Amino acid sequence: MTQLDLTEDTAEKTPKLGRKRDHTRDVDILDAALEVLAETGYDGMTIDMVASRAKAGKGTVYRRWASKGELVIEAVACMKKGDFDLSRLPNTGTLRGDFIAMIKPRSMEEADKKLKIMAGLASMLSRDPELADAANAAIVEPRVSMDRILLRRAIDRGEISADCDIETISHLTASMVAYRTLIQRKVIDREFLVSLIDNVLLPAVGLARATHPLM
Amino acid sequence: MTQLDLTEDTAEKTPKLGRKRDHTRDVDILDAALEVLAETGYDGMTIDMVASRAKAGKGTVYRRWASKGELVIEAVACMKKGDFDLSRLPNTGTLRGDFIAMIKPRSMEEADKKLKIMAGLASMLSRDPELADAANAAIVEPRVSMDRILLRRAIDRGEISADCDIETISHLTASMVAYRTLIQRKVIDREFLVSLIDNVLLPAVGLARATHPLM
DNA sequence: TATATACGATACTATTGAGTTCCGGATCTA
DNA sequence: TAGATCCGGAACTCAATAGTATCGTATATA
């Protein structure tokens, strides 16, 4: 650290000889970090836990990330892979149909895992802005963007008024789901989500409240 | 701990002679704990910080609470003093008037402090149910109860439909405020709150959206 | 005034965990 | 095949902190 270092310090080393770096380990370690994060939270998480979960040595972790903080930021930032493919966003012709179609066991399970990660990150959000931005971009913004698109399409087809406060209402589901999980610690089931759509979200955009059909 | 102890162990000692315990220190220490909690979060908070903030010795803290966890739980639980006096709940005659009247610099400042405490507690909520319940009862439930009463009164006077999902909608403001602070890290100002009332809450209970009057 | 006790301050112990270093062995490249 | 480099594992250092013990002092009660 203090000694004279003529080699590139921050750049990636590209050795001419010997074994290459195993990039498989990167994703194993990042996945392990997310698992431990969801289970124990940022402060409860140790590098030893992550390493042993990934069947890796501690040195292998520190060869890739300079600190625990950087590891967590990259793990969170790299999380958005897979989801958020706008291509298969529901398009049923009605706003209610679209929102109901978003309720799938697959996506609810995934959302639950993400909320556990968010809970583990929560205490750091106010202390580390970079981490907070990464968490927001990876966990809540994708879902909010989907809702925003569904609402905008409803305006475009004339189903709801163009005066609606799309910007706020697109955060409504994410907000209520996060609140119910993190603060109320109640389960998010289909009944809650349908009730949220029919009794709050649709009325808020001017669509009459339905008579509580569960499907 | 392991030795034979014939005195009452859990009961309060009432010495016949000497100096009495200074109950002023209790509230000083609890207040200091809340301050440190808001500033550094549960995991970042140390007993030394709390003690020195309260100008107390560490021993004085541990003479009253067996552990850091118990201190925090009591500090949070004892927080609800002062607020939540239903007597001076607004009663303007309209639901919108009541909700707008709830927006006061005094209460917003207090809510901000409580949200900072909630943020500091966040990572513990999923790990310690007792603490989670205390935080819920002291921080969010008082506000939710107020909104619930305002909504119920609006039903009673026939201003809004009795079919409204009061139970969910009474959590709407608390939910959106917590989300905006903890996750989005944006400020809660009067404009946001008025917009939330006019563009989401009132439409959700069937009242037509107003034309954005800031007062 | 005498005494028992609470007080602030500080030193102490024990534990935990971040980050480093080193080892023998595995593996890829020249 | 040979050597450079990565690997998992484990031992290590160092700093922080929960909780305990002690000391001299302040203070309320008898």
Side-chain angles (χ1 to χ4, degrees):
Chain A
M1 203 57 163
T2 53
Q3 78 185 59
L4 188 60
D5 187 0
L6 294 177
T7 67
E8 296 300 317
D9 198 28
T10 54
E12 189 82 3
K13 277 196 194 171
T14 51
K16 300 292 174 239
L17 238 48
R19 190 180 175 183
K20 275 187 194 157
R21 185 142 119 191
D22 184 356
H23 273 251
T24 298
R25 311 310 293 124
D26 294 55
V27 327
D28 288 346
I29 293 169
L30 290 172
D31 285 347
L34 288 181
E35 282 181 28
V36 176
L37 206 51
E39 289 167 20
T40 70
Y42 182 90
D43 299 282
M45 160 182 161
T46 70
I47 300 294
D48 281 302
M49 287 183 198
V50 175
S52 70
R53 176 80 56 118
K55 295 191 220 312
K58 235 168 136 179
T60 305
V61 175
Y62 279 103
R63 197 172 299 122
R64 287 145 210 269
W65 296 278
S67 68
K68 174 179 171 179
E70 290 188 18
L71 167 63
V72 169
I73 284 182
E74 184 159 341
V76 170
C78 290
M79 193 175 31
K80 41 184 170 181
K81 66 183 181 190
D83 50 65
F84 200 35
D85 39 346
L86 295 173
S87 55
R88 54 185 178 85
L89 211 55
N91 195 353
T92 64
T94 68
L95 188 58
R96 181 174 193 277
D98 285 351
F99 272 112
I100 296 291
M102 296 274 289
I103 310 174
K104 289 292 169 199
R106 173 79 182 82
S107 64
M108 286 175 63
E109 188 183 321
E110 195 175 308
D112 186 67
K113 187 186 165 191
K114 286 187 172 183
L115 275 171
K116 286 200 172 72
I117 293 173
M118 185 57 104
L121 252 33
S123 66
M124 290 297 294
L125 297 184
S126 46
R127 277 180 281 169
D128 186 337
E130 191 184 349
L131 179 57
D133 290 340
N136 192 46
I139 298 179
V140 310
E141 194 50 38
R143 171 60 201 241
V144 168
S145 293
M146 290 185 187
D147 286 10
R148 187 159 32 219
I149 291 170
L150 299 184
L151 287 163
R152 216 185 297 276
R153 284 205 312 221
I155 289 182
D156 290 345
R157 75 169 85 95
E159 187 181 0
I160 64 175
S161 163
D163 290 343
C164 283
D165 186 354
I166 297 295
E167 219 27 67
T168 306
I169 293 175
S170 60
H171 287 276
L172 202 149
T173 303
S175 161
M176 295 292 278
V177 165
Y179 173 86
R180 187 176 172 91
T181 302
L182 303 186
I183 295 178
Q184 294 193 293
R185 290 174 19 260
K186 293 182 181 174
V187 294
I188 306 290
D189 51 17
R190 180 181 184 81
E191 185 186 351
F192 169 74
L193 291 172
V194 172
S195 158
L196 186 60
I197 292 168
D198 285 330
N199 299 336
V200 184
L201 200 144
L202 294 181
V205 296
L207 295 177
R209 226 150 48 75
T211 53
H212 296 273
L214 273 180
M215 185 66 207
Chain B
M1 201 57 162
T2 53
Q3 79 184 57
L4 190 60
D5 187 358
L6 295 177
T7 66
E8 297 299 318
D9 197 29
T10 55
E12 190 83 2
K13 276 195 194 174
T14 52
K16 300 294 174 234
L17 239 46
R19 189 180 176 183
K20 276 185 193 159
R21 181 191 261 179
D22 185 355
H23 274 252
T24 298
R25 312 309 293 123
D26 295 55
V27 327
D28 288 346
I29 293 168
L30 291 172
D31 286 347
L34 288 181
E35 282 181 28
V36 176
L37 206 51
E39 289 168 20
T40 71
Y42 182 90
D43 299 283
M45 161 181 161
T46 70
I47 300 294
D48 281 303
M49 288 183 197
V50 175
S52 70
R53 176 80 56 119
K55 295 190 220 312
K58 233 167 135 180
T60 306
V61 176
Y62 279 104
R63 196 172 300 120
R64 287 143 211 271
W65 296 278
S67 68
K68 174 179 172 180
E70 290 187 20
L71 167 64
V72 170
I73 284 181
E74 185 159 342
V76 171
C78 289
M79 194 174 29
K80 42 183 167 181
K81 67 183 180 188
D83 49 64
F84 199 34
D85 38 346
L86 295 174
S87 57
R88 54 185 177 86
L89 210 56
N91 194 354
T92 63
T94 67
L95 188 58
R96 181 175 193 277
D98 285 351
F99 272 112
I100 296 291
M102 295 274 290
I103 309 174
K104 290 290 171 202
R106 173 80 181 82
S107 64
M108 285 175 64
E109 187 182 323
E110 195 175 308
D112 186 67
K113 188 186 164 192
K114 286 187 172 183
L115 275 170
K116 287 200 172 73
I117 294 173
M118 185 57 103
L121 253 33
S123 65
M124 290 297 293
L125 297 184
S126 47
R127 277 181 282 170
D128 186 336
E130 190 183 351
L131 179 58
D133 289 340
N136 193 46
I139 298 178
V140 310
E141 194 50 38
R143 171 60 202 239
V144 168
S145 295
M146 289 184 187
D147 285 11
R148 187 158 33 217
I149 290 170
L150 298 183
L151 288 163
R152 216 187 298 277
R153 284 204 311 221
I155 289 182
D156 291 344
R157 76 168 85 94
E159 187 181 1
I160 64 175
S161 163
D163 289 342
C164 284
D165 186 354
I166 297 295
E167 219 27 66
T168 304
I169 294 174
S170 59
H171 286 276
L172 201 149
T173 303
S175 160
M176 296 290 279
V177 166
Y179 173 85
R180 188 176 171 89
T181 302
L182 304 186
I183 295 178
Q184 293 194 294
R185 291 176 14 262
K186 294 182 180 173
V187 294
I188 306 290
D189 51 17
R190 181 181 182 82
E191 185 186 351
F192 168 74
L193 291 172
V194 172
S195 159
L196 186 59
I197 292 167
D198 285 331
N199 299 336
V200 184
L201 200 145
L202 294 180
V205 296
L207 294 177
R209 225 148 48 75
T211 54
H212 297 273
L214 273 181
M215 184 66 205

